[in-house]
Amino acid sequence: MMISKQNAEHYVWGNHCDGWRLIDEPERSIIHERMPPGTSEVRHIHHHAKQFFFVLAGTMTIELDGAEYHLNVHEGMNVPSNIPHQVFNKSDQDIEFLVISNPNSRNDRKVIESKCEK
């Protein structure tokens, strides 16, 4: 079956961010996400899931274990399990990206203190 944003399960998260569950299986998930300018997710870890973020549009800022990286279109970053991370859109345009988790990251997220909250 063909999968797209038009037929995938859609959800809204954070401050007007969108997610589309393209694949939602116990052993993996693939989510297409969109973040408007000035938005971010909470800093967190996954105890089991390893994730790969891949930018489709815009420029993503990702904090990974205290270091900040900027990912452009068609660039990605691997995030091992148990590593604190947080995605930001510090640009003036929407960002769109894929998040591939193995195993599925549902119910495997622990929010931790943000670096800017210290």
Side-chain angles (χ1 to χ4, degrees):
M1 178 165 99
M2 190 275 301
I3 302 168
S4 72
K5 286 171 41 174
Q6 286 69 40
N7 66 1
E9 175 192 343
H10 174 258
Y11 61 96
V12 177
W13 62 273
N15 191 13
H16 307 292
C17 299
D18 292 291
W20 294 268
R21 293 186 190 284
L22 304 176
I23 302 288
D24 190 17
E25 301 168 340
E27 67 277 2
R28 71 178 169 150
S29 70
I30 301 174
I31 301 172
H32 183 155
E33 294 194 354
R34 183 196 65 83
M35 293 175 66
T39 58
S40 66
E41 64 175 346
V42 296
R43 191 166 194 258
H44 63 280
I45 63 169
H46 297 283
H47 292 293
H48 303 287
K50 300 172 280 189
Q51 295 186 305
F52 181 73
F53 291 80
F54 187 78
V55 178
L56 302 171
T59 300
M60 170 192 286
T61 302
I62 184 167
E63 181 263 323
L64 182 64
D65 203 19
E68 190 170 281
Y69 303 91
H70 301 280
L71 302 178
N72 297 302
V73 173
H74 300 154
E75 294 179 337
M77 177 165 279
N78 190 52
V79 178
S81 59
N82 292 302
I83 299 296
H85 60 283
Q86 183 174 10
V87 172
F88 302 87
N89 183 354
K90 295 184 177 183
S91 75
D92 60 356
Q93 298 178 0
D94 284 0
I95 59 173
E96 292 198 29
F97 55 96
L98 296 177
V99 183
I100 302 162
S101 302
N102 190 312
N104 196 313
S105 61
R106 277 196 200 234
N107 303 314
D108 181 38
R109 183 175 90 159
K110 179 182 177 191
V111 175
I112 56 177
E113 183 178 285
S114 174
K115 291 290 185 187
C116 63
E117 293 173 353
K118 287 185 177 179

